[in-house]
Amino acid sequence: MGGWMYVPLSIAPLAPEEEKPPSQPRLGELTASHVTPDSIQLEWSVPEGTFDSFTVQYRDAQGQPESLLVDGGSRTVTVAGLSPSRRYNFYLYGLLGQKPVGPISLDTITGEGVDGSTQTWRDGGIAGCLAGWIYVYSLHCVLSVAAPAPKKEKPPSQPHLGELTAPHVTPDSVQLEWSVPEGTFDSFTVQYKDAQGQPQVLPVDGGSRTVTVPGLSPSRRYKFNLYGVWGRNRLGPVSTDAVTAPLPHPHPRDCAEEQLNGPGPSRETLIFLGGDPGRPLRVFCDMETDGGGWLVFQRRQDGGTDFWRGWDAYAHGFGNVTGEFWLGNEALHALTAGTPTELRVDLRTPRDAAFAHYRDFAVAGPEDHYRLRLGAYSGTAGDALSYHAGSPFSTRDRDPRGRPRPCAVAYTGAWWYHNCHYANLNGRYGTPHDHQGINWFPWKGFEFSIPFTEMKLRPQRD
């Protein structure tokens, strides 16, 4: 009876939880809130989302490119060491993982310096003026009073830089510390080269004795040079070498280990099946939902990818992990073999959302037709998948059960069909009739095709 299935008389799903998809952060407006002859204070907004860090880029008075790293929590930075009365063009990028967003830009001019020109009042007129120029003057009267002879003041002594050290390192940052045993500096500049060999410059105010350099690569040696700025003089450098810490999991086996390597947004990344460097796999990690660390292995969202495919396509996977895709039954077997794994299914419409959670999720190998194994259910979508537990995977060109008319053909999908389905998340997109669409029966029935689904897994968390 390939075209029939058992249907419960009534199912009362719990109230769905509303889950909003994470939005990409946006940069707002870049402004100059304070300008002096040798510095400009920049301010900006982030109207939506958050960034890991920012980069300000500009060219100095000699036309050389400069780059200034700013942590993701800041919304202002002062660019020091500029030349007076000069136009500068600043570009601000937001960094989201390894991806730059922007830029937003600003043109502004530093304040005027003192030119040293003088004019003298003689016989009711002013001497030393130039023809064709307009002058604005302030007249001050000076009353001469005999004062005691001024004390002779010593000229300020030149400051000195002490030792530069790196007391704390992480996989992506180095904290630098230094001393100034004599005198004071107006500001400091840290210079180094990034992982691509590009020079980077990090300005630091004169009162600081420590700075953290972010955005570095793990297990890499960096050389840092510290200069002190004293008036128009640049003193130094003092230098130190530091090696960033290794990642806890240099070859993460899944998105949970990728999460342990450091916080960050949901993203596309590489994992390594079994931790083997020779078995890389590009995946998408959901780092926000229910504590994060989920490896997404199926997504339907717009109907742009054809899911009406055969056995080999489903075995090896297809699509794009940032859009619609099936990761592949071979990968699912490798990810769930020998490791207790939990499964989460997220379902959304424009008006509501629900989820289903299962413990002890596993997919057998090809010799057992990628058979589905499931444990206990919880969630708000209703339990549609337990009906399919123990079933082999089947496609339009291979039905291990040997039916005359396979369920995959009858319902235009590929799934762990039983007789035939309560869930059909690889069905025909946008088909709301005859059990042909993307169905999760306890939530929306058979005559509704769900527009967004994600299936994801991670090591079981007790």
Side-chain angles (χ1 to χ4, degrees):
M1 301 293 289
W4 295 89
M5 70 292 297
Y6 299 104
V7 180
L9 292 177
S10 63
I11 297 177
L14 301 178
E17 292 181 355
E18 183 75 16
E19 296 187 7
K20 293 184 178 180
S23 57
Q24 177 167 305
R26 295 188 297 107
L27 290 169
E29 184 181 6
L30 181 63
T31 60
S33 57
H34 184 65
V35 178
T36 72
D38 62 355
S39 71
I40 292 176
Q41 182 178 354
L42 301 175
E43 290 188 0
W44 61 92
S45 62
V46 180
E48 183 177 349
T50 58
F51 288 96
D52 300 329
S53 59
F54 302 94
T55 301
V56 176
Q57 296 183 1
Y58 64 99
R59 290 184 181 271
D60 62 18
Q62 289 73 43
Q64 297 301 308
E66 302 286 353
S67 180
L68 176 59
L69 295 174
V70 186
D71 69 84
S74 297
R75 297 295 183 269
T76 181
V77 69
T78 298
V79 184
L82 306 179
S83 298
S85 303
R86 187 176 186 88
R87 179 179 296 277
Y88 289 86
N89 196 354
F90 297 97
Y91 296 89
L92 177 75
Y93 294 84
L95 298 180
L96 182 63
Q98 299 295 320
K99 179 182 177 182
V101 176
I104 53 176
S105 59
L106 173 71
D107 276 12
T108 190
I109 300 175
T110 47
E112 295 183 359
V114 178
D115 62 8
S117 62
T118 61
Q119 292 81 38
T120 307
W121 181 275
R122 293 180 182 169
D123 300 327
I126 297 175
C129 296
L130 300 175
W133 285 68
I134 299 174
Y135 290 81
V136 179
Y137 295 92
S138 297
L139 180 63
H140 301 269
C141 295
V142 180
L143 178 64
S144 178
V145 177
K151 292 182 179 179
K152 192 170 183 180
E153 294 184 0
K154 286 185 177 181
S157 60
Q158 178 173 296
H160 295 283
L161 288 168
E163 185 182 7
L164 179 66
T165 61
H168 183 65
V169 297
T170 72
D172 63 356
S173 69
V174 170
Q175 181 185 359
L176 300 175
E177 288 186 0
W178 61 93
S179 62
V180 180
E182 183 178 347
T184 58
F185 287 96
D186 301 323
S187 62
F188 302 96
T189 299
V190 175
Q191 296 185 0
Y192 65 100
K193 290 186 177 181
D194 63 18
Q196 289 71 46
Q198 298 302 308
Q200 302 293 330
V201 178
L202 180 59
V204 185
D205 68 84
S208 296
R209 297 295 181 268
T210 182
V211 69
T212 297
V213 183
L216 307 180
S217 296
S219 303
R220 189 176 185 90
R221 180 176 296 277
Y222 290 86
K223 181 175 183 178
F224 299 96
N225 296 314
L226 177 74
Y227 295 86
V229 179
W230 183 53
R232 293 185 176 275
N233 299 315
R234 189 176 74 162
L235 306 180
V238 290
S239 303
T240 190
D241 283 15
V243 179
T244 47
L247 290 172
H249 301 281
H251 300 100
R253 295 175 295 177
D254 48 44
C255 291
E257 289 191 351
E258 172 69 12
Q259 188 179 38
L260 293 175
N261 280 337
S266 297
R267 59 191 178 272
E268 178 183 358
T269 189
L270 273 182
I271 65 163
F272 301 86
L273 295 175
D276 182 354
R279 300 178 69 195
L281 179 65
R282 186 159 298 278
V283 300
F284 187 90
C285 295
D286 176 353
M287 298 301 193
E288 281 91 25
T289 303
D290 187 27
W294 294 100
L295 187 154
V296 181
F297 65 86
Q298 187 258 26
R299 185 185 298 116
R300 308 295 299 274
Q301 64 184 18
D302 55 22
T305 298
D306 181 17
F307 275 66
W308 179 233
R309 301 189 185 222
W311 183 266
D312 288 342
Y314 272 93
H316 300 106
F318 55 86
N320 188 315
V321 296
T322 61
E324 293 194 322
F325 73 101
W326 179 261
L327 188 63
N329 291 334
E330 285 290 329
L332 290 179
H333 171 61
L335 289 164
T336 60
T339 301
T341 302
E342 55 187 330
L343 166 70
R344 181 182 172 104
V345 180
D346 283 306
L347 310 170
R348 286 203 295 270
T349 77
R351 297 181 184 86
D352 54 358
F355 75 96
H357 177 273
Y358 295 89
R359 293 174 59 84
D360 302 316
F361 168 64
V363 175
E367 70 285 348
D368 198 17
H369 311 293
Y370 306 115
R371 192 176 302 273
L372 174 65
R373 297 186 177 92
L374 279 181
Y377 160 82
S378 61
T380 61
D383 181 9
L385 205 53
S386 291
Y387 175 77
H388 298 268
S391 296
F393 200 84
S394 62
T395 61
R396 67 186 186 186
D397 59 347
R398 187 177 300 185
D399 180 15
R401 294 183 185 272
R403 297 180 179 88
R405 188 169 185 242
C407 292
V409 174
Y411 298 106
T412 59
W415 198 247
W416 297 279
Y417 289 110
H418 183 46
N419 189 33
C420 277
H421 73 79
Y422 277 2
N424 192 33
L425 300 189
N426 290 337
R428 182 174 294 174
Y429 193 89
T431 304
H433 53 77
D434 300 330
H435 306 194
Q436 298 287 314
I438 300 174
N439 303 142
W440 191 272
F441 175 77
W443 190 47
K444 293 295 182 182
F446 288 129
E447 307 305 311
F448 184 91
S449 187
I450 301 169
F452 180 91
T453 72
E454 271 188 352
M455 302 180 71
K456 54 196 76 172
L457 61 85
R458 72 183 177 191
Q460 202 151 280
R461 297 181 181 180
D462 294 325

